[in-house]
Amino acid sequence: DAKTTQPPSMDCAEGRAANLPCNHSTISGNEYVYWYRQIHSQGPQYIIHGLKNNETNEMASLIITEDRKSSTLILPHATLRDTAVYYCIVRAGPGSQGNLIFGKGTKLSVKP
Amino acid sequence: DTEVTQTPKHLVMGMTNKKSLKCEQHMGHRAMYWYKQKAKKPPELMFVYSYEKLSINESVPSRFSPECPNSSLLNLHLHALQPEDSALYLCASSPARPGHEKLFFGSGTQLSVL
């Protein structure tokens, strides 16, 4: 079973920040938080991942709470092309393979 | 080249047919994956190959037979499928090095079993 809980859907106005929450209260010390998204009719796309520190890349920022039981993915200026299903995934870190288990995800709709 | 290429994009087959799905990557990745995705559901892991050896089989029925002939290619052989096997089949690859677990996915093969 997936180890994360996400709201099933969210709306965001174009140009505003989209903040997508994820609960992972049973996360272990060696498990990372990964975010992927899937635009309709495409394969999932990696966005970002982190262990305990906040992370930022060209696509998004990842904020992980100090107790690591929840996190938030931030898309700073959402565009219509960011409309997708966003998956928060917890998995073991370096050296692990294959156990990328997808939960139900959040369907983000960016509206003009 | 940062792409994972899957062929065909669409496939319709009968329950008695034998067909194969193909996946190719030229990023030097040594881990390759098959996922199955039903409509409006998240992807489900089927198989993982690491250095051309099958390392994970998520209790997939034997009518699905994976093959990794070399480090760039991954096949999924299909035989005697059922209508409930209709789904999007996704291939992915990753570098298989510690700290590099980012998966690259193809666009998938949409399979319909009649």
Side-chain angles (χ1 to χ4, degrees), chain B residues 79-111:
Chain B
H79 174 54
L81 293 195
Q82 304 296 310
E84 59 264 30
D85 296 321
S86 298
L88 180 68
Y89 288 84
L90 292 161
C91 174
S93 70
S94 70
R97 293 198 307 274
H100 294 269
E101 286 78 26
K102 175 179 168 181
L103 266 65
F104 291 76
F105 283 84
S107 295
T109 294
Q110 186 65 54
L111 174 67

Side-chain angles (χ1 to χ4, degrees), chain B residues 42-55:
Chain B
E44 297 176 11
L45 182 64
M46 300 175 73
F47 302 105
V48 181
Y49 273 83
S50 178
Y51 293 88
E52 296 87 68
K53 290 190 183 344
L54 184 64
S55 61

Side-chain angles (χ1 to χ4, degrees), chain A residues 49-105:
Chain A
H49 76 282
L51 181 63
K52 54 183 177 181
N53 297 322
N54 298 337
E55 302 286 346
T56 295
N57 63 21
E58 65 279 2
M59 289 183 69
S61 295
L62 174 60
I63 309 297
I64 302 174
T65 58
E66 192 167 343
D67 64 7
R68 303 209 322 122
K69 293 186 177 182
S70 66
S71 60
T72 301
L73 178 75
I74 301 172
L75 307 179
H77 304 287
T79 71
L80 299 179
R81 284 179 290 184
D82 292 321
T83 292
V85 178
Y86 287 76
Y87 295 102
C88 169
I89 300 162
V90 165
R91 68 177 292 199
S96 70
Q97 294 169 28
N99 50 336
L100 194 72
I101 307 299
F102 288 81
K104 296 180 180 179

Side-chain angles (χ1 to χ4, degrees), chain B residues 71-84:
Chain B
S71 60
S72 299
L73 294 175
L74 184 66
N75 298 321
L76 186 63
H77 302 297
L78 314 172
H79 174 54
L81 293 195
Q82 304 296 310
E84 59 264 30

